[in-house]
Amino acid sequence: MTELTHAIASTHQVFNQPLPLENYNAFHGDRMLQYWLRVFDATWADPRLMDFGHQVGHELLQAGFLANKHIPEFLPHDRFGHRIDQVDYHPAYHQLMQAAITAGHTHLPWTMQEPGKHVARAALAYLHNHADPGSGCPLTMTFASVPAIQTQPDVASRWLPGILSGHYDGSNKPWYEKVGLTIGMAMTEKQGGSDVRANTTVAVPVGQPGAGQLYSLLGHKWFCSAPMCDGFLMLAKVEDQLSCFLVPRWREDGSKNPIHIQRLKNKLGNRSNASAEIELRGAHGWLVGEQGRGVATIIQMVALTRYDCMIGSSALMAQAAKEAIWHTAGRSAFGRPLHLQPLMLNVLADLALEAEASLAISMRIAHALDNMQDAKQAALVRCATGIGKYWICKRAVLQTFEAMECVGGVGYVDENVCNRLYREAPVNSIWEGSGNVQCLDLLRVLSRESDCLNALMAELEAARGRHPLYDRRLDQTLAMLVQTESLEYAARHILQHLALCWQAATLLLHGEGWIAEAFVRARLGQSSLQFGCLPEGINTQAIVERLLVRIDNRTAG
């Protein structure tokens, strides 16, 4: 080989590029998650999470790539022309569902009595999102459906054993032939969007009317999430009264329930999960709860899916920060590792702080869910979930983009997980009530339910005296709440301040002191929320090192 030929061939050598973040234990490598499990009484779940974390960092991580590459396919008819309304998923999607349900994602808090069971389940959901957020949608809905279905004991006695079984059955057959069941939801109609009271779907009794009885539904749903679930909670009007129904995909006589899929939505993200537009042409469903109490019934499911939006977005942010730190730690620039360059350290540490603050309040809500017998904790769930969903889900869009920029051009391509995280981020902000809906809901709750306002104020006041910057920002925020003439117009501004105060309070009360100090100075001591603008004096390297995943033979094998 001539010297010139050798020189040409050597241009294909790859160097100064990190290995992909894979073949590791996603739980063992996440010291931030482990910390919050200790704070909120869920370390008993460590062995379960260690096992699931291994799967997430190995085979489920690869399954996530496959499930997002080979997206669901809609088959309206079989080859003989029969209507089948079938959605086929890649085997990797079923692999993801199987692993998560077996680990307890959909049922752990409802079937176990240990303290911190919601915290442990939140950790499972957080880890699963690292493998694939899309399949998290039916997992979330199945988990969240339980309180709503429990409203109707006769229906619950037939459905809950399958929902809580810990088994997954992705086959296309009637629900009563399965050991494991999944539940979806279809609330939105095209003319109403978040205004579900504008829904036009109607229901009439098949026989006797009343709670638990069978009705026939006629109408259209603009979004039906995960259309191959075994049953769906829906809203329909009975004599102009909005009511809640559990609608199965198969009727009890073995015939297909006429839930006609019109199309699958082509979405920006959430690719592995199918979202359908459907028509109900006399579909049978059981009335769950009393006639006219549809919103009150289904809101129990909505409240938990909103909480899962907090967890999901926190997971996106944490994974994005980990990917950015891992990638820059494997590259050199200007004579030293990229992640140790001062400006990059500023950005990376800021991303890590944002991820920790988001996880902190998500786990705080999980802790409150574990203590719902306490009226103050129950009240906090009712008001603070909306604050968390609003803020975390919006920050996730900016945070995942900033992480992708840290990775650079390779982060923009589909083979890199940062690309998927960025495309995924907006859905949690839009799903289950967009930003304005969260703001208006919170204002209504705080004005009508004094116990919710008192619980929120108690949570914020508990951190008073821990830091002067916090005290000053809290006083400013409280002053906004008394300006009643402009509350609705200023709702987003108020929610931003409430969210930052709540994150700071949670870190000050429950977090590590040096992390809390850095967050308070970064978010409450200056006006900029742009990433990479941390004030001087913060130990950025220690913050980055805390989120840097370390892989060794014990955790990788």
Side-chain angles (χ1 to χ4, degrees):
M1 181 182 290
T2 67
E3 184 175 336
L4 178 59
T5 302
H6 177 75
I8 293 172
S10 68
T11 65
H12 296 282
Q13 181 183 358
V14 177
F15 61 97
N16 200 26
Q17 284 285 347
L19 295 172
L21 180 53
E22 61 185 17
N23 297 324
Y24 73 109
N25 189 307
F27 177 67
H28 184 275
D30 197 320
R31 283 160 287 179
M32 180 176 70
L33 177 61
Q34 293 167 27
Y35 174 83
W36 289 101
L37 286 167
R38 290 195 299 273
V39 168
F40 291 127
D41 308 320
T43 54
W44 57 266
D46 282 1
R48 179 190 297 258
L49 294 167
M50 190 69 77
D51 177 70
F52 191 59
H54 175 87
Q55 296 178 62
V56 167
H58 290 77
E59 62 266 25
L60 295 184
L61 186 65
Q62 299 309 315
F65 278 102
L66 288 171
N68 281 273
K69 180 179 181 180
H70 304 284
I71 62 176
E73 180 185 4
F74 173 42
L75 304 173
H77 302 87
D78 67 14
R79 62 181 178 271
F80 300 110
H82 301 112
R83 184 98 198 195
I84 58 173
D85 292 290
Q86 182 172 318
V87 179
D88 285 346
Y89 296 91
H90 188 273
Y93 172 89
H94 296 293
Q95 180 185 0
L96 289 157
M97 293 289 291
Q98 175 75 55
I101 290 176
T102 300
H105 192 309
T106 55
H107 64 274
L108 189 148
W110 314 128
T111 57
M112 301 185 75
Q113 298 304 318
E114 282 80 357
K117 55 187 183 294
H118 274 285
V119 175
R121 184 261 165 191
L124 286 169
Y126 169 96
L127 290 171
H128 181 83
N129 267 271
H130 283 56
D132 174 52
S135 53
C137 174
L139 294 167
T140 282
M141 292 187 296
T142 302
F143 156 74
S145 71
V146 173
I149 293 174
Q150 284 177 331
T151 303
Q152 194 59 47
D154 50 349
V155 174
S157 67
R158 302 179 66 195
W159 280 80
L160 287 187
I163 294 170
L164 302 177
S165 68
H167 293 279
Y168 173 67
D169 185 345
S171 63
N172 186 13
K173 61 185 179 183
W175 63 274
Y176 47 82
E177 296 179 5
K178 293 186 175 187
V179 175
L181 302 175
T182 55
I183 301 296
M185 190 192 323
M187 289 179 64
T188 306
E189 297 185 9
K190 53 185 178 289
Q191 76 283 350
S194 296
D195 183 10
V196 295
R197 297 193 182 277
N199 285 6
T200 60
T201 299
V202 296
V204 296
V206 173
Q208 290 295 317
Q213 299 298 316
L214 205 60
Y215 283 68
S216 177
L217 280 70
L218 179 68
H220 178 277
K221 298 295 180 181
W222 193 225
F223 278 93
C224 174
S225 297
M228 290 302 283
C229 286
D230 298 292
F232 308 89
L233 285 179
M234 301 184 186
L235 295 176
K237 289 183 177 177
V238 181
E239 299 176 351
D240 208 37
Q241 292 182 310
L242 206 57
S243 306
C244 181
F245 296 87
L246 175 58
V247 183
R249 274 200 310 112
W250 294 83
R251 289 184 175 179
E252 294 195 288
D253 62 4
S255 64
K256 180 187 170 299
N257 210 10
I259 305 171
H260 290 180
I261 298 175
Q262 301 304 301
R263 58 171 170 161
L264 297 186
K265 305 289 192 179
N266 293 320
K267 299 171 293 184
L268 170 67
N270 209 248
R271 299 269 182 91
S272 64
N273 175 49
S275 299
E277 183 179 342
I278 63 171
E279 286 186 359
L280 307 166
R281 299 186 178 181
H284 285 182
W286 294 276
L287 176 60
V288 177
E290 297 299 320
Q291 179 176 317
R293 296 280 299 166
V295 173
T297 300
I298 207 168
I299 201 66
Q300 299 173 86
M301 182 178 186
V302 172
L304 287 173
T305 53
R306 286 177 174 176
Y307 149 70
D308 264 18
C309 287
M310 293 174 61
I311 298 170
S313 289
S314 297
L316 293 177
M317 296 164 82
Q319 189 177 14
K322 291 174 197 173
E323 288 284 342
I325 293 170
W326 174 266
H327 185 89
T328 54
R331 284 176 63 81
S332 295
F334 309 110
R336 73 165 92 173
L338 181 56
H339 78 300
L340 296 180
Q341 296 283 358
L343 185 53
M344 182 59 79
L345 264 177
N346 194 323
V347 175
L348 295 173
D350 214 352
L351 295 176
L353 277 179
E354 191 75 25
E356 176 128 14
S358 298
L359 180 61
I361 60 172
S362 297
M363 287 305 198
R364 177 64 186 92
I365 288 294
H367 178 64
L369 287 168
D370 279 322
N371 294 276
M372 291 291 279
Q373 73 281 359
D374 182 333
K376 293 180 180 178
Q377 298 300 308
L380 185 68
V381 170
R382 292 202 304 277
C383 63
T385 303
I387 299 173
K389 181 186 183 302
Y390 172 84
W391 187 244
I392 295 173
C393 297
K394 287 199 174 297
R395 292 293 284 175
V397 178
L398 299 174
Q399 210 254 19
T400 51
F401 159 72
E402 193 69 56
M404 184 168 59
E405 185 175 311
C406 290
V407 174
V410 71
Y412 191 66
V413 300
D414 283 347
E415 289 84 355
N416 191 291
V417 74
C418 284
N419 173 302
R420 188 200 313 164
L421 300 178
Y422 180 59
R423 284 187 282 108
E424 188 72 28
V427 70
N428 285 333
S429 189
I430 297 168
W431 192 40
E432 301 298 12
S434 58
N436 284 356
V437 171
Q438 302 307 312
C439 292
L440 297 176
D441 279 355
L442 178 67
L443 293 184
R444 280 193 289 268
V445 168
L446 294 182
S447 64
R448 297 176 184 177
E449 302 182 38
S450 58
D451 60 332
C452 287
L453 180 59
N454 293 337
L456 179 61
M457 291 302 104
E459 187 81 359
L460 300 180
E461 288 289 349
R464 188 181 287 279
R466 301 289 181 110
H467 200 290
L469 289 176
Y470 174 79
D471 292 354
R472 185 177 68 185
R473 178 63 67 90
L474 180 58
D475 288 337
Q476 294 171 349
T477 304
L478 296 179
M480 296 178 190
L481 288 172
V482 300
Q483 303 298 320
T484 55
E485 70 281 356
S486 59
L487 274 181
E488 184 172 325
Y489 184 80
R492 285 188 172 222
H493 189 54
I494 294 169
L495 242 71
Q496 174 179 314
H497 279 262
L498 284 172
L500 290 173
C501 283
W502 183 30
Q503 287 181 318
T506 304
L507 291 171
L508 287 167
L509 292 168
H510 306 290
E512 298 191 69
W514 61 287
I515 295 290
E517 170 73 19
F519 181 84
V520 170
R521 290 186 58 207
R523 298 292 183 268
L524 306 186
Q526 55 186 26
S527 58
S528 175
L529 291 176
Q530 177 73 32
F531 289 111
C533 297
L534 294 178
E536 295 283 347
I538 288 177
N539 191 343
T540 53
Q541 185 168 341
I543 294 172
V544 168
E545 287 289 326
R546 188 165 185 263
L547 212 60
L548 176 62
V549 177
R550 290 179 173 81
I551 299 177
D552 59 35
N553 292 333
R554 289 172 296 134
T555 62

